[in-house]
Amino acid sequence: MNHTLDQFSDNPIIYELVNWPPRPQSVSSVRASSPLFRNPFVEIALDDNEMITRTYSKDGFTEYWTEARVILETLTSIKLISDVKVSEAMDIEALTARILEERDESIAEASLMFDSGMYQQFLWQFGRDYKGLPDQVVEKIAVARAQLKGE
């Protein structure tokens, strides 16, 4: 759900996952760690074994990771690994509702691209790391891929 993730890219962890156009590789996992004597970090493992590591300030990292975790669990099939505690201050239910609302808006916008025959742009809206899409959208993704292979 590249387009929807982009709506949350003010979160620095999510920002690292959003590329335009999306990466050709899937993200296998995201590991977050907050060691006692070092700065917190995130390791992003891609399916071709490439590893992207980013460090962050301790200030606000728990909140950023909590938000990123909810976003990624809701929208993607990415495996999440963490030793970071979850922020108790965040309203997870409200965040999840906002994520799903953004996802539905992204799907509606992407459908216009599909209807106009803009298959590559349509596919870029989803990237490779999505889950829980309506069956109709999954079918459109398959049709768009087939159209691009046939061209």
Side-chain angles (χ1 to χ4, degrees), residues 58-74:
K58 287 186 184 278
D59 243 12
F61 183 76
T62 300
E63 288 74 21
Y64 286 134
W65 173 248
T66 300
E67 181 181 59
R69 183 180 189 123
V70 173
I71 293 166
L72 295 173
E73 286 176 339
T74 303

Side-chain angles (χ1 to χ4, degrees), residues 105-124:
E105 288 177 19
S106 295
I107 289 171
E109 290 176 25
S111 290
L112 296 173
M113 293 175 191
F114 180 87
D115 295 343
S116 297
M118 300 170 64
Y119 300 119
Q120 185 62 68
Q121 292 81 353
F122 171 79
L123 292 173
W124 285 344

Side-chain angles (χ1 to χ4, degrees), residues 15-147:
Y15 178 82
E16 292 299 330
L17 296 168
V18 176
N19 283 354
W20 290 103
R23 291 180 185 92
Q25 316 93 323
S26 293
V27 176
S28 301
S29 66
V30 175
R31 181 172 87 91
S33 184
S34 188
L36 189 57
F37 297 111
R38 294 187 357 215
N39 281 337
F41 64 90
V42 170
E43 292 177 338
I44 302 166
L46 303 179
D47 67 1
D48 66 356
N49 296 322
E50 180 182 348
M51 186 72 69
I52 302 166
T53 303
R54 297 291 184 260
T55 58
Y56 300 91
S57 167
K58 287 186 184 278
D59 243 12
F61 183 76
T62 300
E63 288 74 21
Y64 286 134
W65 173 248
T66 300
E67 181 181 59
R69 183 180 189 123
V70 173
I71 293 166
L72 295 173
E73 286 176 339
T74 303
L75 296 175
T76 74
S77 57
I78 298 169
K79 179 180 177 182
L80 303 176
I81 307 159
S82 175
D83 65 14
V84 180
K85 64 180 181 170
V86 175
S87 171
E88 301 293 327
M90 193 166 294
D91 184 347
I92 303 293
E93 286 184 29
L95 176 58
T96 302
R98 191 170 131 233
I99 294 165
L100 293 173
E101 184 178 312
E102 288 289 346
R103 183 196 69 178
D104 292 346
E105 288 177 19
S106 295
I107 289 171
E109 290 176 25
S111 290
L112 296 173
M113 293 175 191
F114 180 87
D115 295 343
S116 297
M118 300 170 64
Y119 300 119
Q120 185 62 68
Q121 292 81 353
F122 171 79
L123 292 173
W124 285 344
Q125 304 310 302
F126 298 97
R128 298 178 50 94
D129 307 303
Y130 55 81
K131 75 172 187 183
L133 293 176
D135 291 340
Q136 181 182 20
V137 176
V138 173
E139 290 170 16
K140 285 182 178 181
I141 289 171
V143 167
R145 285 183 179 149
Q147 289 292 326

